[in-house]
Amino acid sequence: MLPGKTIERIRVLHSDVLRQPSRDFSARLKGRDFEAVHRRGKNIVARLSGGGVLVVNLGMSGRLVLVRDEAQTTHPAVRFTLSAGPPLVYDDVRRFGALEVMDESEWAVRDHRLGPEPLSSSFTARGLHADLSRSVSPIRSWLLDQRRVAGIGNIYANEALHLAGIHPQRPAKSLSEHEARRLHRAIRRTLSSAVDNRGTTLRDYRDSSGIPGNNASKLLVYGRDQEPCSHCSTRIHRFVFGNRAAFCCPNCQPVGVSSSNG
Ligand SMILES: [Zn+2]
């Protein structure tokens, strides 16, 4: 949708989403063409003609929308007029997201700091177990740390831990090799099903065409406090640690290491 289009005009409506002065940001984008666009962790990375990249971190509520109808955006922060088609708008209710133009070497440094992509071949069960064994962090916090694995947010961390039968507060290093293998499989399943369902609309996420994601109904524990577990009917328990909500089934995800885990 974007590759091949030229950025003709940039209008910054809320400069607090930029990681650089708005004049500098605009000067580095004006007249450039979008080349390939890919995702890396929680970032959308758009290569620009003449070198450099536009990196968009969506934060909690950010989205990039090709706006055919103004009603598609509620909190536009940056608007790009393109050489063809509708304008591209960065819309963000809470404005925890960030946009930044970087040169290739700056991006390479940032990219290097991110952990493996969970759906790539560099993310292995063996590697995961080895990494987990070096940390006493609660496993849910470990999964949210973008330097360990890239692109896992709180919703999918909770979902993957439920699928794997692991309590969110278990210390990372307490996971057996068998549990690490289950978690590895659960992360991949959770993320690939989320991609198939175009993301999860809980607050206001939309993909770049503005179509709501339809993954929310497929969530097993997240947002389901007091509802019966789909596996054993025990009520799902919500609690908060590390400033984020956690959801789990107390029966399927025991706090201690369960004896059935080999
Ligand atoms: Zn259960």
Side-chain angles (χ1 to χ4, degrees):
M1 281 185 297
L2 287 180
K5 291 178 182 168
T6 308
I7 305 169
E8 295 193 331
R9 207 145 44 87
I10 302 101
R11 215 172 126 216
V12 178
L13 301 152
H14 291 287
S15 59
D16 55 349
V17 299
L18 303 183
R19 289 243 174 95
Q20 59 212 136
S22 109
R23 186 177 293 202
D24 183 33
F25 177 81
S26 300
R28 292 177 76 170
L29 288 173
K30 194 169 157 62
R32 308 281 209 102
D33 300 343
F34 281 117
E35 292 181 342
V37 180
H38 74 281
R39 192 189 55 75
R40 174 73 172 107
K42 292 181 178 178
N43 307 289
I44 293 169
V45 182
R47 301 216 164 261
L48 303 165
S49 59
V53 289
L54 168 64
V55 180
V56 181
N57 185 309
L58 300 174
M60 307 270 290
S61 57
R63 55 199 180 102
L64 276 173
V65 199
L66 285 166
V67 178
R68 289 180 182 82
D69 169 0
E70 290 302 323
Q72 284 177 297
T73 65
T74 52
H75 296 76
V78 184
R79 166 185 278 267
F80 305 91
T81 306
L82 305 175
S83 53
L88 178 70
V89 172
Y90 178 71
D91 190 90
D92 194 344
V93 181
R94 303 175 71 176
R95 300 215 296 274
F96 290 149
L99 288 79
E100 188 172 8
V101 186
M102 295 182 192
D103 60 35
E104 297 285 345
S105 59
E106 289 169 323
W107 169 243
V109 171
R110 183 79 60 89
D111 179 73
H112 190 70
R113 272 194 234 130
L114 294 168
E117 286 292 325
L119 296 178
S120 76
S121 57
S122 60
F123 180 62
T124 63
R126 186 186 294 241
L128 174 64
H129 184 237
D131 291 346
L132 290 172
S133 69
R134 287 190 284 268
S135 172
V136 293
S137 296
I139 182 64
R140 201 276 312 262
S141 311
W142 194 96
L143 290 172
L144 294 183
D145 184 343
Q146 301 298 301
R147 295 167 300 183
R148 318 270 199 189
V149 195
I152 302 181
N154 192 36
I155 295 172
Y156 299 125
N158 277 283
E159 291 293 298
L161 287 167
H162 176 72
L163 264 184
I166 296 166
H167 191 277
Q169 285 181 304
R170 289 264 310 275
K173 67 187 295 181
S174 75
L175 270 66
S176 66
E177 194 180 337
H178 178 69
E179 287 175 315
R181 240 190 341 259
R182 280 208 317 253
L183 179 59
H184 178 263
R185 202 179 313 132
I187 290 169
R188 289 197 179 221
R189 253 177 71 184
T190 304
L191 289 180
S192 46
S193 115
V195 171
D196 290 347
N197 290 301
R198 287 200 315 272
T200 302
T201 300
L202 284 183
R203 292 190 185 88
D204 44 22
Y205 176 85
R206 300 283 191 280
D207 67 17
S208 61
S209 57
I211 302 166
N214 56 356
N215 202 38
S217 61
K218 308 217 166 39
L219 297 179
L220 298 169
V221 286
Y222 193 90
R224 296 194 182 279
D225 186 27
Q226 297 302 314
E227 291 181 31
C229 167
S230 59
H231 185 67
C232 73
S233 298
T234 303
R235 284 183 191 281
I236 290 168
H237 175 50
R238 177 190 187 275
F239 58 106
V240 175
F241 73 98
N243 287 318
R244 310 293 300 274
F247 295 86
C248 74
C249 167
N251 181 46
C252 296
Q253 299 167 260
V255 182
V257 182
S258 85
S259 55
S260 62
N261 298 328

